Amino acid sequence: MKVLFIGDVVGGPGRRGLAAAMPELRERHAPDMVVVNGENSAGGMGITEKTAKAIFDAGVDVITSGNHVYRHREVYGYLNRSDRIVRPANYPYANPGRGYTVVEVGGRRVGVINLSGMVGLKVARSPFIEVDSILEKIECDFAIVDFHAEVTSEKVAMGWHLDGRVAGVLGTHTHVPTADARVLPQGTAFISDVGMTGSRTSVLGVKPELVLEQMITQMPVKFETAEEDVWVMGAVVTVNDAGLADAIEPVMVPAPL
């Protein structure tokens, strides 16, 4: 079974790029399941019901998120209603949404777990302790983890922590694809960051001149999503009958816009 995991979709350009690229990605990789991080899909920061539905309409099975998930209050009710969108499981339990879900694909129950790193980000509980608790109770044939974290050391540590227990640990949040994709010794596919789906003529999806102005002047600047040279980035994980990974292949393709 193949799972296509797509990194942070940034704004309208990212949504349109994802939709445009999906036919080619399906033809090339023949994924049985598609998981997309959509936490930046609304104007480059946050997610709404409208942008989530646009992602689902592109043929996506599950949406993961991260630290910007609560940017737009209008999405709170949708996070509670939908069982196909998840937010970091180690946020306060009373927060809107759920931290993991299980969907049936091709006769197999696939768990999708969302976690936030604790280095440089605000969480209620350690992601390491939280994922242990989830794996004790989740009922699925295999699980995929979106680890939304700042630092590579924490991401790599999570890969080793979960090696042999989940099919894949895929890093998101930093928007820059890393070159460390591999299957760990006990069968867990790992990559520190799959990258983003958005403009490469940008600084992490934002118009470069705006980011430069903010960094140089250290004054508040309203960011706008860049639109040129949109690419779709992610990874394909091949999962065997034992629920572990046989292979991981990074994905980086220009969107045919």
Side-chain angles (χ1 to χ4, degrees):
M1 180 172 180
K2 288 186 177 181
V3 178
L4 171 61
F5 184 96
I6 300 295
D8 307 51
V9 173
V10 183
R15 299 194 310 270
R16 293 188 291 272
L18 173 68
M22 280 303 299
E24 178 186 349
L25 290 172
R26 288 192 178 280
E27 182 177 355
R28 181 184 302 183
H29 299 288
D32 300 284
M33 179 179 183
V34 180
V35 181
V36 169
N37 185 294
E39 73 136 5
N40 293 303
S41 60
M45 188 173 292
I47 187 169
T48 65
E49 182 173 353
K50 180 180 178 180
T51 62
K53 287 183 175 179
I55 292 173
F56 285 133
D57 286 346
V60 173
D61 297 290
V62 176
I63 297 175
T64 57
S65 60
N67 58 302
H68 294 310
V69 65
Y70 298 129
R71 180 78 173 188
H72 304 285
R73 294 181 63 88
E74 64 192 82
V75 80
Y76 293 3
Y78 183 68
L79 292 174
N80 287 328
R81 294 194 307 272
S82 176
D83 60 359
R84 292 203 296 152
I85 182 170
V86 291
R87 49 79 169 168
N90 52 329
Y91 281 179
Y93 290 127
N95 282 18
R98 69 203 74 226
Y100 66 92
T101 190
V102 177
V103 296
E104 185 168 332
V105 180
R108 302 182 76 179
R109 295 168 301 168
V110 183
V112 179
I113 302 170
N114 203 174
L115 298 169
S116 172
M118 57 185 170
V119 180
L121 295 170
K122 294 181 179 180
V123 296
R125 298 170 302 282
S126 162
F128 298 92
I129 304 301
E130 185 68 20
V131 74
D132 287 346
S133 174
I134 291 171
L135 290 176
E136 287 179 358
K137 59 189 177 185
I138 192 171
E139 296 181 359
C140 62
D141 296 308
F142 68 87
I144 295 289
V145 175
D146 176 346
F147 192 30
H148 199 78
E150 286 274 7
V151 296
T152 51
S153 57
E154 191 178 19
K155 292 180 179 183
V156 172
M158 182 62 75
W160 287 110
H161 181 66
L162 293 177
D163 186 24
R165 297 196 285 162
V166 301
V169 175
L170 301 133
T172 59
H173 179 60
T174 57
H175 291 204
V176 178
T178 55
D180 59 344
R182 57 175 169 157
V183 177
L184 296 174
Q186 300 302 315
T188 294
F190 173 80
I191 184 170
S192 290
D193 202 287
V194 295
M196 71 172 183
T197 295
S199 169
R200 291 214 304 180
T201 307
S202 72
V203 177
L204 308 186
V206 177
K207 292 181 178 180
E209 63 272 19
L210 300 178
V211 176
L212 286 169
E213 180 183 351
Q214 192 273 335
M215 289 185 172
I216 291 169
T217 66
Q218 299 189 35
M219 293 295 291
V221 176
K222 183 180 180 180
F223 286 171
E224 296 178 15
T225 304
E227 299 186 4
E228 299 176 8
D229 193 22
V230 174
W231 282 60
V232 177
M233 303 179 190
V236 175
V237 177
T238 303
V239 184
N240 57 36
D241 291 341
L244 295 171
D246 285 335
I248 178 171
E249 178 185 352
V251 171
M252 288 184 64
V253 297
L257 294 174

